[in-house]
Amino acid sequence: MERRDVRARIHLDVVTPQKIEFSKEVDMVVAPGYDGYLGILPSHIPMMTRLRIGTLKIYDGEEEINMAVSEGYMEVTGENIIILAEAAELPEEIDVERALAAKRRAEERLAALAAWDVKALKAQASLQRALNRLKVAGKAKNKFAERE
């Protein structure tokens, strides 16, 4: 009798208000939970959690895919993961110049405001999004440079 290598997989959907950003069977997902990163494997216990700005790591075979995600929610139902996020971008979709400009604007706004001001909180969130996008884009560029 022939043995087959059957790996358990889990279906991941990353959805934003604009579109479905990612939809595929994967081996594992590491998501930026509100209180820390969460690793999700196939057959994970059902759960729902809030996500913060961070890097979503998607493992598919030998490939690691990084995605910049903004705040949102993640639902895990055994063989499915659904991530609903304000924004989600693969490295090749990130406009680095635009992210750098957003970073500069946020830093300027933060310097001019009191820490408790609502505008300062919005500027801090904007800065976190820009830094995360640049981090994900930078990882991709380093990975592509290693291949050449």
Side-chain angles (χ1 to χ4, degrees), residues 12 18 33 55 67 72 79 84 90 106 135-136 139-140:
L12 171 65
Q18 289 75 35
T55 303
M67 181 178 270
E79 300 308 317
L84 304 174
L90 292 166
K135 178 177 142 187
V136 170
K139 282 183 184 178

Side-chain angles (χ1 to χ4, degrees), residues 75-87:
E75 179 183 23
V76 179
T77 58
E79 300 308 317
N80 292 298
I81 302 171
I82 300 171
I83 293 178
L84 304 174
E86 283 297 315

Side-chain angles (χ1 to χ4, degrees), residues 2 16 21 24 34 36-37 55 59 61 73 91 95 100 110 117:
E2 183 182 325
T16 66
E21 298 288 341
K24 187 176 180 185
Y34 196 70
Y37 277 83
T55 303
Y59 296 91
Y73 295 91
D95 181 339
L100 284 169
L110 280 172
D117 190 319

Side-chain angles (χ1 to χ4, degrees), residues 82-134:
I82 300 171
I83 293 178
L84 304 174
E86 283 297 315
E89 295 173 286
L90 292 166
E92 58 272 14
E93 297 170 343
I94 295 172
D95 181 339
V96 175
E97 291 303 316
R98 194 172 133 233
L100 284 169
K103 175 184 174 280
R104 282 190 294 273
R105 284 191 308 273
E107 289 171 336
E108 289 168 5
R109 285 188 302 232
L110 280 172
L113 298 168
W116 51 266
D117 190 319
V118 171
K119 290 180 183 174
L121 297 174
K122 288 181 181 179
Q124 181 65 36
S126 179
L127 178 59
Q128 286 178 334
R129 283 190 300 273
L131 290 172
N132 185 53
R133 292 174 72 226
L134 291 167

